[in-house]
Amino acid sequence: ETGVTQSPTHLIKTRGQQVTLRCSSQSGHNTVSWYQQALGQGPQFIFQYYREEENGRGNFPPRFSGLQFPNYSSELNVNALELDDSALYLCASSGGGREPSYEQYFGPGTRLTVT
Amino acid sequence: GENVEQHPSTLSVQEGDSAVIKCTYSDSASNYFPWYKQELGKRPQLIIDIRSNVGEKKDQRIAVTLNKTAKHFSLHITETQPEDSAVYFCAATGGGSQGNLIFGKGTKLSVKP
């Protein structure tokens, strides 16, 4: 198992609400990437944070936002939740050097259900 | 936009047989190609990866090949075991960003004892 942790494990929210998901990166890693995995699909890249700065973003609307803290843990915030936001949200930890590295190690995910 | 196609979507083999999963990618700038194994209800697990300057890489029973000209890469599992049963995802870097992994839709591998 990787040292990447996520909280909470499961979450149920109502349409229009806001949610914050959390990720602790593996020790020594300074980069966190967030993905959305719908049922039966591959993960889709949301964005990446490297040393507290956004370092790339996928095709997700601005209501998906993030943050990385000095200890390299990260948050994913989603505003104005929609039913289609129901998915498994995965964070992946990587890096440790002066540049982002390629190998990404996933956390267990947060299962978000929007009703 | 960038895309990764993965085939087949399901694959059933007998224990001891080989399994091959194939992927194609569209972004000629892609330079890193990982493979992940995801068991039901668990996190994707990185099992092998290859960079664009290498044509083949092997780790025990699994191997990956890359053909940059054709934009193809494949996962080969030999001497399959029931514990190899899972969904396998290929991915490629895209959008000019190392962090942006574009995933295929997955292959559900079933190994029958």
Side-chain angles (χ1 to χ4, degrees):
Chain A
E1 293 293 329
T2 70
V4 185
T5 61
Q6 290 186 244
S7 63
T9 307
H10 297 88
L11 203 51
I12 300 175
K13 289 285 189 177
T14 303
R15 191 171 54 180
Q17 286 188 316
Q18 178 264 343
V19 69
T20 297
L21 310 181
R22 296 178 175 83
C23 172
S24 291
S25 59
Q26 187 168 306
S27 177
H29 285 181
N30 56 16
T31 305
V32 173
S33 304
W34 285 92
Y35 292 83
Q36 180 194 69
Q37 186 176 26
L39 205 59
Q41 301 293 317
Q44 272 197 292
F45 177 71
I46 303 174
F47 42 58
Q48 182 186 72
Y49 279 84
Y50 169 65
R51 292 188 169 186
E52 302 178 60
E53 297 284 332
E54 188 177 288
N55 183 50
R57 187 181 180 93
N59 190 25
F60 279 81
R63 60 189 184 85
F64 285 78
S65 63
L67 200 57
Q68 187 177 32
F69 299 99
N71 66 354
Y72 303 128
S73 65
S74 178
E75 286 183 354
L76 164 66
N77 299 291
V78 187
N79 292 323
L81 284 166
E82 301 178 359
L83 296 179
D84 284 350
D85 295 334
S86 295
L88 180 68
Y89 287 85
L90 295 159
C91 74
S93 165
S94 60
R98 293 189 175 182
E99 297 178 358
S101 72
Y102 290 100
E103 295 84 1
Q104 298 186 23
Y105 299 93
F106 283 92
T110 294
R111 173 72 63 187
L112 173 65
T113 302
V114 182
T115 61
Chain B
E2 297 88 2
N3 189 41
V4 173
E5 298 277 348
Q6 183 172 347
H7 300 281
S9 56
T10 60
L11 180 59
S12 182
V13 300
Q14 287 295 133
E15 183 177 359
D17 286 351
S18 294
V20 180
I21 302 171
K22 298 182 179 182
C23 290
T24 60
Y25 61 97
S26 60
D27 187 352
S28 56
S30 294
N31 57 3
Y32 173 68
F33 308 89
W35 286 86
Y36 287 85
K37 174 184 179 183
Q38 188 174 28
E39 297 175 73
L40 192 62
K42 296 198 173 180
R43 70 187 78 194
Q45 177 190 357
L46 179 64
I47 57 171
I48 196 167
D49 56 14
I50 192 167
R51 301 202 183 190
S52 58
N53 58 348
V54 175
E56 183 172 358
K57 184 177 177 180
K58 189 174 182 180
D59 183 4
Q60 299 182 357
R61 295 187 298 108
I62 59 174
V64 58
T65 59
L66 172 65
N67 182 330
K68 282 212 72 179
T69 303
K71 297 182 187 172
H72 289 169
F73 59 114
S74 300
L75 177 71
H76 304 252
I77 306 174
T78 58
E79 300 172 21
T80 54
Q81 301 166 4
E83 51 265 39
D84 294 330
S85 297
V87 178
Y88 291 80
F89 292 98
C90 63
T93 49
S97 166
Q98 289 176 220
N100 182 1
L101 287 180
I102 301 170
F103 283 80
K105 292 190 174 182
T107 296
K108 184 175 181 180
L109 174 65
S110 300
V111 181
K112 299 181 179 180

